[in-house]
Amino acid sequence: MKLLITGTTGFVGHKIMESYAQAAAAPSLRNATQEMIKRMVEESEADVVIHTAAISDIGICQKNPEASYFANVQIPVYLAHACKDRKLICFSSDQVYSGAKGDKPFTEDDVATANLYAEEKLEMENRVLAIDPNAVMLRATWMYDMPMFGVPNRSNLVTMFLNAAITQKPLALSKEEFRGITYVREVAEQTLQAVNLPGGAYNFGSEADVSMYALAELFMKKTGMKLNLQEKSGGENLWMNCAKLKNAGGGFETTAEGLATCIEDYNLSLLGQ
């Protein structure tokens, strides 16, 4: 199976490339045209195109709506037209639930957007699936990994906890806030399995089994590090019901399980000794 992956200089794309040595990296799609993307896909001879490239910073999208629309909507539409008989997998976002309310995790039908990035991702899903019903839209959560030299890194759950442990600055989290957060190594593994999914949108990541406050407590327990943890009230939930993915043969560890796995993988317990 030949894979073509976009966005390989980014956090997710780089990790997928690491997990699949036979994958080819797409060039930058900035200012790409439909013809350029068609030629790129054809010349790659890929069986599967995994599209991870995007402008995902919500603030940047708000400040640069034309650029973000081109990256987040138009480029995936070009890819949908270009892929035809190839399998197309596009990364979407749990932000499509940013305006949703409720005391239960959101299913794929509970979409409600609250920012421009979320609106673009939802439009992208709808337009791509209208062109190619066999395409797969992966609604990904916030992701984390240990920061490493020479690898794309971004602020995430683990770096937040590590910085808090080092600086001992107050870290205020809520016992009422639940959010699906996913170990990026597992994302890469599951993305390769997503090739077998029927077309459509899927909640794609760890389900939130504990609160944000409880996650910090778990980090302290597993690593032996101390956090200046403080409780705050309220908080918005951003959690997903991943039953559709599980029923199709996929699935992730829960947020708490994934964090424990990451701590074990990197021997972070040694840092607390």
Side-chain angles (χ1 to χ4, degrees), residues 5-6 11-13 15-16 49-56 71-73 76 79 88-94 96 117 120-122 124-125 128 136-141 143 182 184 186-192 194 202 204-205 252:
I5 303 173
T6 72
F11 187 57
V12 179
K15 187 60 67 172
I16 297 172
V49 177
I50 300 176
H51 180 54
T52 73
I55 296 178
S56 58
N72 295 334
V73 180
L79 282 167
L88 175 61
I89 298 173
C90 292
F91 269 75
S92 185
S93 170
D94 62 358
V96 299
Y117 173 65
E120 290 174 347
K121 282 298 186 181
L122 189 56
M124 179 274 292
E125 289 183 8
V128 168
V136 171
M137 306 291 110
L138 303 178
R139 292 176 178 170
T141 69
M143 292 171 252
T182 313
V184 74
E186 193 174 6
V187 172
E189 294 168 356
Q190 287 294 320
T191 300
L192 298 178
Y202 294 84
F204 189 76
F252 289 77

Side-chain angles (χ1 to χ4, degrees), residues 222-223 225 261-272:
K222 292 289 186 181
T223 65
M225 299 182 203
T261 298
C262 180
I263 290 169
E264 182 177 347
D265 283 349
Y266 289 105
N267 294 315
L268 294 184
S269 59
L270 297 177
L271 298 178

